[in-house]
Amino acid sequence: MTTPALVVEGLYKTYALPDGGRTTAVDTVSFTVPAGGSLGIVGESGSGKTTVARMLVDLVRPDAGTITVNGRERTPGVRGGRPRGPVGRGAERLRRAREIQIVFQDPYVSLDPRLSARQCLHGALRLHGRHQGRAATTRVDELLDQVGLGKREAEARPRGLSGGQCQRLAIARALAVEPEVLVLDEAVAALDVSIQAQILLLLAEIRRETGVALVFVSHDLAVVGHVTDDTLVMRRGRAVETGPTARVLDAPEDPYTRLLLSSVPREGWDPAETVRMRGQLTPEP
Ligand SMILES: Nc1ncnc2c1ncn2[C@@H]1O[C@H](COP(=O)(O)OP(=O)(O)OP(=O)(O)O)[C@@H](O)[C@H]1O
Ligand SMILES: [Mg+2]
């Protein structure tokens, strides 16, 4: 059996509350993404999706749990672990960044406004010591091509690009370091529907071409249905259901998943039915 791209076990995270108490954002969440596979994480606002995504890429420190990429556990570097001096630490940080990359919802915030698309990608290659000189230029052209950015866009800065083009650039920058796992947190949520579709098709193509594993975080079940093999449903920090995406969407087992599906506006949709279903859900502490 091939080693999974990502194994997450017992991930747990609490945050301090202003009154001195703590709130549990992520409660013992576990999942596996096979090599080249894709997992959707869905759930309502506040269910802990972003906290999981941020723990995967070292932006949030888990209280407990392990994250293993291609058989290498990466959690000890986050918790405890004495610093080994600035060089070791920097090199270690970059090595970890090459394992998992993330793309956020708003590319205008995550991209440097002063850099053209081409400069942005050159910068990513330089930072990670990948490709020099002519090889770097070739690789940048390849990345631009891979995400469908043309000659004009290559020389444009983020302000001169549309939201969809910016998101393509953010995806190219993440791919520049050839990560084993690509996490996308609501990466198409801010785009209009036809551009969403283009980006989803692009992601499917990238997965086929590069074999990168995807973790696709979204509140939108329809979007997840298009790009993922498996889906994990989160409610108030917990995983309430997981399984093949088609099965989860067509025959949901958990009442909360059924509620999420019934909340999607469609022909003949009855909002009152959604409100009624919510009333029947077991309350959480
Ligand atoms: N830095 C923080 N400090 C305190 N509480 C936080 C922090 N970040 C998140 N939380 C809380 O943790 C819970 C999970 O938040 P998270 O952002 O992971 O949810 P989400 O599923 O991504 O929601 P959305 O769909 O709105 O993006 C929420 O109750 C949130 O208020
Ligand atoms: Mg979120």
Side-chain angles (χ1 to χ4, degrees):
M1 214 182 81
T2 49
T3 310
L6 178 65
V7 179
V8 166
E9 279 173 340
L11 217 47
Y12 195 88
K13 176 69 191 172
T14 58
Y15 286 112
L17 292 173
D19 68 4
R22 295 193 80 80
T23 177
T24 303
V26 174
D27 189 352
T28 330
V29 166
S30 305
F31 56 84
T32 297
V33 186
S38 63
L39 176 82
I41 301 182
V42 297
E44 287 175 306
S45 189
S47 56
K49 308 180 298 292
T50 293
T51 306
V52 168
R54 293 174 77 89
M55 285 193 279
L56 292 178
V57 291
D58 289 352
L59 290 171
V60 166
R61 183 185 295 242
D63 296 345
T66 58
I67 298 164
T68 306
V69 177
N70 248 330
R72 292 181 305 274
E73 190 181 322
R74 57 193 257 120
T75 325
V78 183
R79 289 178 294 160
R82 294 200 173 276
R84 270 171 274 145
V87 175
R89 228 170 38 204
E92 172 68 3
R93 198 168 52 78
L94 288 176
R95 188 192 64 73
R96 294 167 70 87
R98 284 196 293 274
E99 289 180 344
I100 311 189
Q101 284 280 307
I102 190 164
V103 173
F104 295 104
Q105 175 170 348
D106 187 349
Y108 290 108
V109 174
S110 60
L111 295 170
D112 186 334
R114 297 163 302 180
L115 301 183
S116 70
R118 183 178 289 287
Q119 288 168 331
C120 164
L121 296 178
H122 268 292
L125 292 178
R126 221 177 8 252
L127 177 67
H128 289 276
R130 301 244 156 155
H131 311 280
Q132 264 109 41
R134 192 169 297 196
T137 307
T138 307
R139 177 71 180 133
V140 167
D141 284 338
E142 201 177 277
L143 286 163
L144 288 165
D145 188 52
Q146 196 166 29
V147 298
L149 289 175
K151 285 201 163 57
R152 185 202 70 81
E153 291 89 18
E155 310 312 326
R157 293 180 185 171
R159 287 234 164 271
L161 297 173
S162 71
Q165 288 165 343
C166 269
Q167 205 55 307
R168 286 172 188 270
L169 175 58
I171 292 169
R173 184 181 58 175
L175 291 175
V177 300
E178 294 161 41
E180 286 155 269
V181 180
L182 179 61
V183 180
L184 300 116
D185 186 3
E186 302 283 4
V188 300
L191 306 173
D192 69 55
V193 179
S194 71
I195 307 295
Q196 270 191 5
Q198 287 177 13
I199 300 284
L200 296 180
L201 283 176
L202 174 69
L203 287 169
E205 198 177 295
I206 285 170
R207 182 153 79 98
R208 256 195 326 271
E209 282 176 4
T210 65
V212 68
L214 298 182
V215 175
F216 198 91
V217 172
S218 177
H219 65 280
D220 189 332
L221 288 135
V223 162
V224 165
H226 280 108
V227 278
T228 65
D229 301 334
D230 296 306
T231 293
L232 176 109
V233 183
M234 287 188 68
R235 182 190 184 206
R236 300 193 189 171
R238 297 211 177 124
V240 293
E241 177 159 9
T242 178
T245 300
R247 203 278 298 148
V248 172
L249 298 189
D250 293 343
E253 283 167 4
D254 192 90
Y256 179 71
T257 313
R258 284 201 283 276
L259 170 75
L260 285 184
L261 285 163
S262 90
S263 312
V264 179
R266 62 195 173 280
E267 217 175 278
W269 179 57
D270 179 8
E273 171 65 8
T274 303
V275 172
R276 192 189 60 75
M277 283 176 80
R278 177 175 291 284
Q280 288 179 343
L281 272 187
T282 48
E284 294 270 321

